[in-house]
Amino acid sequence: MDPQSQNLKTAPPLTLGRFHISEDYGFLLPNPLKELPDYYRPWMEIANRLPHLIGSHQLRAQVNEMPLLNCQFLTGYREQRLAHLVLTFITMGYVWQDGEAQPKEVLPRTLALPLVEVSRNLGLPPILLHSDLVLANWATRNPGRNLDPIFLFPGGESLRGFILVTVLVEKAAVPGIKALVQAVNAVLLPSPDSLLQALQRLRISIQDITRALGQMHDYVDPDIFYSVIRIFFSGWKDNPAMPAGLLYEGVSKEPLNYSGASAAQSSVLHAFDEFLGVRHSKESADFLHRMRDYMPPSHRAFIEEIHSTPSLRDHILSSGNSQLLTAHNQCVEALAALRSYHLAMVTKYLITAAPKAKGRRMSRLPGPPQALEERGTGGTAVVRFLKSVRDKTLEAILHQSG
């Protein structure tokens, strides 16, 4: 037996539990908490009224009167995730209450200090993330067990739909994440039959993700998304509306720069890319790797673990197994189709919606952001970026030699 196969035999099997990823919910936080201890009621009272407070331009005054609370009474991981969710929602509302023309460039210490403290405890940046907006911001409402977001910004049913459809996208990815683990272990064994079955499951999951994403068309109005909702996801890095960044009072003497919430902060496609051997252009790869710093550390570690496993591509090519080659390529094609679908959706919700939004103003709300007109909330030139990642995905197609 050669040394390399000896190493494969002794490598421990990959499991989701090692990375705090749920067998039932994937990267979603299972059963997120909805209430903090009573000590934190001043935060909760503001967070629960955000749409009204922002719409009536009262949020900043409320935050300025907020007491400075200590994070030491937060016990356990789920309370800390809820605190991060609460404080980042309040932060985005505070900064953008009056729109991009009048952003608040200083975050008061009563908000900045606890936000930075809980962020450090979680290993997360002190800004609203995909892991807040989606992964920790859902609850089942009895008796119908319908889903609801825990917190909202202005945007009504369209924002509710945006959050919940994205939750369903993450849920649709769960069988794919489990298939990915099965496949990695099948390469280590090796077990061609188990690998083939895993690849087929992965393809079906990617197609289910695309179908789940399609529900955006049913629940999210493009005009409301563009004109009302989007600004609250915008960060203060690569954003011309806040070129200096945000000063976190009591934390740093200099303003800090962080990207806004972005689909690129979802761990799902990062894991699939690493497994299928998708290699992005330098510009896209640099952005995607930076987005990993905006994920929960255990999820980031899972993606890095996938990256360090033996190459699926090399394994399939050296096996000469045409069934595995076909199944791999079907996964790649499904992933490229998902990215094409996402590109079409971004075109509808951003590029097509922009000129219509300019022609009118929504009542008392901030109005459409123009600084990020053709950029994603993460700060990328979004159409060029999405075309590049789609095209590079297709380059991962395998061709049997000989």
Side-chain angles (χ1 to χ4, degrees), residues 55-98:
S56 59
H57 299 269
Q58 297 174 39
L59 175 60
R60 287 175 180 168
Q62 293 274 321
V63 169
N64 291 337
E65 293 173 11
M66 206 168 73
L68 177 59
L69 302 180
N70 195 312
C71 292
Q72 71 185 35
F73 303 111
L74 295 168
T75 56
Y77 182 71
R78 291 198 304 155
E79 277 193 8
Q80 295 207 5
R81 285 287 295 273
L82 178 55
H84 197 273
L85 170 64
V86 167
L87 293 170
T88 54
F89 255 72
I90 296 172
T91 294
M92 303 315 265
Y94 186 88
V95 169
W96 299 117
Q97 173 185 281
D98 295 333

Side-chain angles (χ1 to χ4, degrees), residues 258-280:
Y258 295 103
S259 298
S262 163
Q265 295 168 6
S266 170
S267 302
V268 173
L269 296 193
H270 289 254
F272 292 173
D273 277 350
E274 291 290 2
F275 175 64
L276 294 168
V278 176
R279 295 290 170 257
H280 294 294

Side-chain angles (χ1 to χ4, degrees), residues 25-173:
Y25 296 101
F27 296 112
L28 290 162
L29 184 66
N31 308 310
L33 295 179
K34 293 176 283 188
E35 292 293 338
L36 287 173
D38 196 55
Y39 172 78
Y40 299 103
R41 187 183 296 174
W43 296 352
M44 296 297 293
E45 285 178 346
I46 290 175
N48 284 320
R49 298 174 60 227
L50 275 178
H52 167 72
L53 291 173
I54 294 168
S56 59
H57 299 269
Q58 297 174 39
L59 175 60
R60 287 175 180 168
Q62 293 274 321
V63 169
N64 291 337
E65 293 173 11
M66 206 168 73
L68 177 59
L69 302 180
N70 195 312
C71 292
Q72 71 185 35
F73 303 111
L74 295 168
T75 56
Y77 182 71
R78 291 198 304 155
E79 277 193 8
Q80 295 207 5
R81 285 287 295 273
L82 178 55
H84 197 273
L85 170 64
V86 167
L87 293 170
T88 54
F89 255 72
I90 296 172
T91 294
M92 303 315 265
Y94 186 88
V95 169
W96 299 117
Q97 173 185 281
D98 295 333
E100 69 170 9
Q102 298 173 287
K104 267 291 184 193
E105 295 178 356
V106 178
L107 200 64
R109 63 191 300 114
T110 53
L111 190 48
L113 287 171
L115 171 56
V116 168
E117 184 180 349
V118 80
S119 298
R120 282 178 182 151
N121 291 342
L122 289 167
L124 295 172
I127 189 171
L128 181 74
L129 311 165
H130 176 80
S131 63
D132 303 302
L133 180 68
V134 177
L135 302 184
N137 189 30
W138 64 279
T140 51
R141 298 278 181 243
N142 295 332
R145 295 193 62 75
N146 291 334
L147 289 179
D148 250 338
I150 302 170
F151 300 109
L152 290 166
F153 296 115
E157 286 303 301
S158 284
L159 177 58
R160 183 176 180 277
F162 178 84
I163 293 170
L164 295 183
V165 169
T166 314
V167 168
L168 295 177
V169 165
E170 291 279 348
K171 190 78 168 68

Side-chain angles (χ1 to χ4, degrees), residues 282-315:
K282 183 177 186 323
E283 185 183 9
S284 298
D286 287 349
F287 172 72
L288 288 166
H289 275 88
R290 189 157 59 75
M291 288 298 98
R292 293 185 187 180
D293 295 335
Y294 291 70
M295 298 173 185
S298 61
H299 298 177
R300 186 162 69 237
F302 176 73
I303 296 164
E304 287 161 3
E305 182 79 5
I306 299 296
H307 175 74
S308 69
T309 57
S311 164
L312 173 70
R313 177 190 194 87
D314 293 349
H315 177 80

Side-chain angles (χ1 to χ4, degrees), residues 3 13 17 26 74 77 79 82 84 126 154 185 192 197 228 247 262 279 349 371 375 386 388:
L74 295 168
Y77 182 71
E79 277 193 8
L82 178 55
H84 197 273
N185 290 328
Q197 181 190 62
V228 179
L247 185 69
S262 163
R279 295 290 170 257
Y349 281 88
R375 291 182 168 267
L386 291 175
S388 171

